[in-house]
Amino acid sequence: MKKILNLQERKRKYDLREIWNTIFYLVKTGCQWRMLPSNFAPWELVYYYYRKWCSLGEFDLLLNNLREKVRVNMGQKAECSLGKIILADAGYRGEIADKIKTAFGYILEVVVSGDKVNGFKPIGKRWIVERTFSWFDNYRRLCRNDEWTFDSAEEMVKLASIRMLLNKILTGS
């Protein structure tokens, strides 16, 4: 993490690991910035680093490197096989698929269930997405969208993903 964030060695009152732990606490508990417990670094300092790392795109870089490490540990290729494909259900057919491709360069792959009679059955790749959303429910900051900007909400999802990947690496699962 130190190498990815390009942190310079200097004397600090608060260790950057403590800053990271505070950011992870905020994502996990859904706590407000100003309501962080007093045993953490001051919220202004934590928020400063959060905004700095967001603006530099450090979370993207870290997330990509951790994802590749987990994939290799699982015996898969480092690069994702889906690439720029977004999986969606039948509600996202038609014009919206074209708008997503034009605006973001992603290809929308619509996965439709053909069996409504026999009840619930997981649908291939879409089940991966549903399972991931379920994991995100463990992070209170993601359960309700209280973020003021879309960018901030996106960064919180990245942070939750980083934390999940770090847990996978540490537990070896």
Side-chain angles (χ1 to χ4, degrees):
M1 187 180 309
K2 187 176 183 179
K3 183 178 178 184
I4 292 169
L5 294 176
N6 195 21
L7 303 173
Q8 299 169 342
E9 285 296 329
R10 66 183 178 101
K11 192 173 184 177
R12 301 175 192 277
K13 184 174 181 182
Y14 295 95
D15 184 18
L16 290 175
R17 184 176 301 237
E18 185 176 346
I19 303 295
W20 268 102
N21 288 338
T22 305
I23 292 172
F24 285 151
Y25 174 86
L26 184 110
V27 175
K28 181 71 173 169
T29 65
C31 178
Q32 298 171 15
W33 287 103
R34 294 174 191 257
M35 300 293 284
L36 284 169
S38 60
N39 58 326
F40 287 116
W43 76 267
E44 298 93 342
L45 180 65
V46 177
Y47 186 74
Y48 164 78
Y49 278 106
Y50 165 77
R51 294 305 312 157
K52 178 181 178 181
W53 292 334
C54 286
S55 67
L56 293 174
E58 300 292 357
F59 298 145
D60 292 315
L61 180 60
L62 182 58
L63 183 59
N64 187 53
N65 288 347
L66 289 172
R67 181 178 44 244
E68 287 179 358
K69 182 172 178 63
V70 168
R71 289 180 60 83
V72 168
N73 288 350
M74 294 172 59
Q76 299 173 344
K77 293 180 183 176
E79 289 294 317
C80 297
S81 57
L82 287 178
K84 287 194 159 198
I85 297 175
I86 297 176
L87 303 175
D89 63 16
Y92 293 94
R93 286 187 278 192
E95 186 180 328
I96 194 165
D98 295 330
K99 286 183 179 180
I100 289 173
K101 185 173 184 178
T102 303
F104 303 108
Y106 291 107
I107 298 168
L108 197 66
E109 182 179 311
V110 178
V111 183
V112 183
S113 171
D115 189 8
K116 301 281 185 196
V117 178
N118 294 324
F120 173 77
K121 288 186 180 178
I123 304 170
K125 293 176 186 172
R126 195 169 100 190
W127 182 247
I128 297 168
V129 175
E130 299 296 333
R131 180 192 64 198
T132 303
F133 285 151
S134 174
W135 290 340
F136 284 153
D137 280 345
N138 292 319
Y139 295 86
R140 290 186 57 95
R141 190 78 181 211
L142 304 181
C143 290
R144 292 184 49 212
N145 189 4
D146 290 329
E147 302 303 321
W148 286 25
T149 65
F150 178 77
D151 291 340
S152 182
E154 183 181 4
E155 296 302 324
M156 290 297 169
V157 171
K158 290 175 191 174
L159 285 164
S161 300
I162 288 169
R163 187 159 186 248
M164 286 189 289
L165 290 171
L166 285 172
N167 286 341
K168 281 187 174 201
I169 291 169
L170 293 174
T171 61
S173 60

